[in-house]
Amino acid sequence: MAVLEILEFPDPRLRNKAKAVKVVDKSIQKLIHDMLETMYNAPGIGLAATQVNVHKRVVVMDISPDQDQPRVFINPKITPIEEQTTESQEGCLSVPGFYEQIMRYEKINVSALDKNGQAFELDCDDLLSVCIQHEVDHLNGKLFVDYISSLKRQRIKKKLEKQHREQN
Ligand code: NI
Protein backbone atom coordinates (compact mmCIF):
# COMPACT_ATOMS: atom_id res chain seq x y z
CA MET A 1 0.00 0.00 0.00
CA ALA A 2 1.08 3.56 -0.49
CA VAL A 3 0.09 7.04 0.59
CA LEU A 4 -0.65 9.00 -2.57
CA GLU A 5 -0.27 12.72 -3.16
CA ILE A 6 -3.55 14.62 -2.84
CA LEU A 7 -4.09 17.36 -5.44
CA GLU A 8 -5.11 20.71 -4.00
CA PHE A 9 -7.35 23.47 -5.35
CA PRO A 10 -6.85 25.22 -7.77
CA ASP A 11 -4.97 22.34 -9.47
CA PRO A 12 -6.61 22.03 -12.93
CA ARG A 13 -6.41 18.21 -12.75
CA LEU A 14 -9.20 18.34 -10.15
CA ARG A 15 -11.43 19.49 -13.03
CA ASN A 16 -11.07 16.25 -15.04
CA LYS A 17 -14.20 14.16 -15.45
CA ALA A 18 -13.48 10.60 -14.31
CA LYS A 19 -14.27 7.62 -16.55
CA ALA A 20 -16.39 4.64 -15.52
CA VAL A 21 -14.54 1.54 -14.34
CA LYS A 22 -15.16 -1.29 -16.82
CA VAL A 23 -13.67 -4.19 -14.85
CA VAL A 24 -12.93 -4.29 -11.13
CA ASP A 25 -9.54 -5.97 -11.44
CA LYS A 26 -6.35 -6.17 -9.35
CA SER A 27 -5.26 -2.67 -10.42
CA ILE A 28 -8.55 -1.17 -9.18
CA GLN A 29 -8.22 -3.10 -5.91
CA LYS A 30 -4.70 -1.75 -5.44
CA LEU A 31 -6.00 1.75 -6.15
CA ILE A 32 -8.72 1.24 -3.49
CA HIS A 33 -6.15 0.11 -0.91
CA ASP A 34 -3.89 3.06 -1.66
CA MET A 35 -6.81 5.50 -1.55
CA LEU A 36 -7.95 4.14 1.83
CA GLU A 37 -4.44 4.44 3.22
CA THR A 38 -4.18 7.99 1.84
CA MET A 39 -7.57 8.95 3.32
CA TYR A 40 -6.83 7.51 6.79
CA ASN A 41 -3.36 9.07 6.76
CA ALA A 42 -4.68 12.56 5.88
CA PRO A 43 -6.94 12.04 7.96
CA GLY A 44 -10.23 12.40 6.11
CA ILE A 45 -13.63 10.73 5.83
CA GLY A 46 -13.85 10.53 2.03
CA LEU A 47 -11.62 10.53 -1.02
CA ALA A 48 -12.33 10.38 -4.74
CA ALA A 49 -9.79 8.95 -7.21
CA THR A 50 -9.73 12.34 -8.98
CA GLN A 51 -8.05 13.80 -5.88
CA VAL A 52 -5.09 11.44 -6.29
CA ASN A 53 -4.91 12.18 -10.02
CA VAL A 54 -6.51 8.91 -11.13
CA HIS A 55 -9.46 9.73 -13.35
CA LYS A 56 -11.61 6.66 -12.71
CA ARG A 57 -14.97 6.58 -10.94
CA VAL A 58 -13.81 5.25 -7.58
CA VAL A 59 -14.65 6.69 -4.15
CA VAL A 60 -13.60 5.54 -0.68
CA MET A 61 -15.19 6.70 2.52
CA ASP A 62 -15.30 6.04 6.25
CA ILE A 63 -17.64 8.08 8.41
CA SER A 64 -17.52 5.73 11.42
CA PRO A 65 -16.32 7.28 14.72
CA ASP A 66 -13.43 4.81 15.03
CA GLN A 67 -12.51 4.98 11.34
CA ASP A 68 -12.81 1.21 11.05
CA GLN A 69 -15.66 0.86 8.55
CA PRO A 70 -14.27 1.54 5.09
CA ARG A 71 -16.78 1.93 2.27
CA VAL A 72 -16.06 1.68 -1.44
CA PHE A 73 -18.21 3.01 -4.28
CA ILE A 74 -17.24 2.21 -7.86
CA ASN A 75 -19.22 3.96 -10.63
CA PRO A 76 -21.60 5.51 -8.07
CA LYS A 77 -24.93 6.84 -9.34
CA ILE A 78 -27.00 9.16 -7.17
CA THR A 79 -30.76 9.60 -7.26
CA PRO A 80 -32.38 12.06 -4.86
CA ILE A 81 -35.19 10.36 -2.90
CA GLU A 82 -36.84 13.69 -2.09
CA GLU A 83 -36.43 17.22 -3.37
CA GLN A 84 -35.72 18.31 0.21
CA THR A 85 -32.31 19.96 0.63
CA THR A 86 -30.31 20.69 3.75
CA GLU A 87 -27.27 22.77 4.58
CA SER A 88 -24.22 21.50 6.44
CA GLN A 89 -20.58 22.35 6.88
CA GLU A 90 -18.18 20.75 4.42
CA GLY A 91 -14.45 20.57 4.10
CA CYS A 92 -12.23 18.77 1.61
CA LEU A 93 -8.74 17.27 1.61
CA SER A 94 -8.17 19.15 -1.66
CA VAL A 95 -9.13 22.46 -0.02
CA PRO A 96 -7.32 22.05 3.31
CA GLY A 97 -8.24 24.34 6.18
CA PHE A 98 -11.44 25.79 4.68
CA TYR A 99 -15.01 24.94 5.68
CA GLU A 100 -18.25 26.28 4.22
CA GLN A 101 -21.98 25.69 4.56
CA ILE A 102 -23.15 23.82 1.46
CA MET A 103 -26.66 22.85 0.36
CA ARG A 104 -27.24 19.19 -0.60
CA TYR A 105 -30.11 16.75 -1.05
CA GLU A 106 -31.11 15.38 2.32
CA LYS A 107 -31.90 11.82 1.23
CA ILE A 108 -30.41 10.02 -1.74
CA ASN A 109 -30.26 6.57 -3.21
CA VAL A 110 -26.85 5.46 -4.41
CA SER A 111 -26.14 2.50 -6.63
CA ALA A 112 -22.57 1.38 -7.19
CA LEU A 113 -20.22 -1.58 -7.40
CA ASP A 114 -18.35 -2.74 -4.32
CA LYS A 115 -14.65 -3.61 -4.16
CA ASN A 116 -15.39 -7.06 -5.60
CA GLY A 117 -17.38 -5.66 -8.51
CA GLN A 118 -20.75 -6.62 -6.98
CA ALA A 119 -23.61 -4.18 -7.54
CA PHE A 120 -25.32 -2.75 -4.46
CA GLU A 121 -27.79 -0.03 -3.63
CA LEU A 122 -28.15 2.11 -0.53
CA ASP A 123 -30.56 4.74 0.75
CA CYS A 124 -28.71 7.35 2.77
CA ASP A 125 -29.21 10.52 4.73
CA ASP A 126 -27.22 12.80 7.04
CA LEU A 127 -23.44 12.74 6.78
CA LEU A 128 -23.31 9.72 4.48
CA SER A 129 -25.62 11.43 1.98
CA VAL A 130 -23.61 14.68 2.06
CA CYS A 131 -20.32 12.83 1.77
CA ILE A 132 -21.40 10.76 -1.25
CA GLN A 133 -22.71 13.86 -3.06
CA HIS A 134 -19.43 15.65 -2.32
CA GLU A 135 -17.32 12.74 -3.62
CA VAL A 136 -19.40 12.18 -6.76
CA ASP A 137 -18.92 15.89 -7.49
CA HIS A 138 -15.14 15.25 -7.45
CA LEU A 139 -15.57 12.54 -10.08
CA ASN A 140 -17.34 15.14 -12.22
CA GLY A 141 -14.57 17.69 -11.73
CA LYS A 142 -16.55 19.73 -9.25
CA LEU A 143 -15.48 21.05 -5.83
CA PHE A 144 -17.51 22.31 -2.87
CA VAL A 145 -16.02 25.77 -3.37
CA ASP A 146 -17.93 25.95 -6.68
CA TYR A 147 -21.12 26.42 -4.62
CA ILE A 148 -19.89 29.48 -2.68
CA SER A 149 -19.57 33.07 -3.89
CA SER A 150 -16.81 33.75 -6.41
CA LEU A 151 -15.40 36.34 -4.02
CA LYS A 152 -14.95 33.74 -1.26
CA ARG A 153 -13.64 31.20 -3.77
CA GLN A 154 -11.02 33.66 -5.06
CA ARG A 155 -9.93 34.37 -1.49
CA ILE A 156 -9.47 30.64 -0.78
CA LYS A 157 -7.65 30.21 -4.10
CA LYS A 158 -5.19 33.01 -3.31
CA LYS A 159 -4.48 31.69 0.20
CA LEU A 160 -3.84 28.15 -1.06
CA GLU A 161 -1.67 29.39 -3.95
CA LYS A 162 0.40 31.32 -1.44
CA GLN A 163 0.78 28.20 0.73
CA HIS A 164 1.80 26.14 -2.32
CA ARG A 165 4.46 28.72 -3.25
CA GLU A 166 5.82 28.67 0.28
CA GLN A 167 6.00 24.85 0.27
CA ASN A 168 8.12 24.80 -2.88
NI1 NI B 1 -13.43 16.63 -1.23
Side-chain angles (χ1 to χ4, degrees):
M1 298 211 288
V3 173
L4 307 170
E5 188 199 344
I6 298 174
L7 303 179
E8 292 187 3
F9 177 68
D11 194 308
R13 292 171 290 181
L14 287 167
R15 299 308 187 177
N16 288 351
K17 197 170 177 344
K19 293 209 164 70
V21 172
K22 291 204 181 89
V23 189
V24 181
D25 57 12
K26 285 246 154 54
S27 73
I28 295 294
Q29 280 162 351
K30 181 179 188 309
L31 172 66
I32 289 165
H33 280 117
D34 289 346
M35 284 174 63
L36 281 167
E37 193 176 0
T38 304
M39 179 187 76
Y40 287 129
N41 177 68
I45 58 170
L47 187 71
T50 308
Q51 294 176 275
V52 293
N53 199 28
V54 176
H55 302 286
K56 293 176 181 168
R57 301 188 82 80
V58 177
V59 162
V60 297
M61 209 175 287
D62 191 339
I63 58 162
S64 68
D66 295 329
Q67 294 259 283
D68 59 357
Q69 287 166 47
R71 294 172 186 266
V72 175
F73 301 87
I74 300 169
N75 301 339
K77 279 202 179 64
I78 286 173
T79 314
I81 296 173
E82 305 169 352
E83 287 301 305
Q84 182 67 39
T85 54
T86 181
E87 204 179 45
S88 64
Q89 195 185 55
E90 291 185 28
C92 179
L93 293 176
S94 294
V95 193
F98 295 91
Y99 300 88
E100 297 289 343
Q101 292 290 123
I102 305 295
M103 199 72 112
R104 301 282 187 186
Y105 289 113
E106 202 166 296
K107 290 185 177 139
I108 60 164
N109 173 276
V110 59
S111 62
L113 303 177
D114 68 13
K115 63 180 194 308
N116 302 311
Q118 295 294 312
F120 69 98
E121 227 184 281
L122 192 66
D123 286 347
C124 21
D125 56 11
D126 295 324
L127 181 58
L128 185 57
S129 170
V130 168
C131 205
I132 292 172
Q133 291 173 78
H134 176 117
E135 300 307 334
V136 170
D137 269 358
H138 276 302
L139 301 180
N140 294 327
K142 197 161 182 173
L143 297 167
F144 82 92
V145 292
D146 298 346
Y147 296 100
I148 64 178
S149 73
S150 63
L151 188 73
K152 271 194 188 172
R153 187 168 53 252
Q154 285 306 317
R155 210 178 287 154
I156 293 173
K157 180 171 172 254
K158 286 205 176 103
K159 283 186 188 157
L160 284 175
E161 280 173 339
K162 183 163 178 274
Q163 277 180 30
H164 297 156
R165 276 197 304 275
E166 285 165 0
Q167 279 159 14
N168 294 329

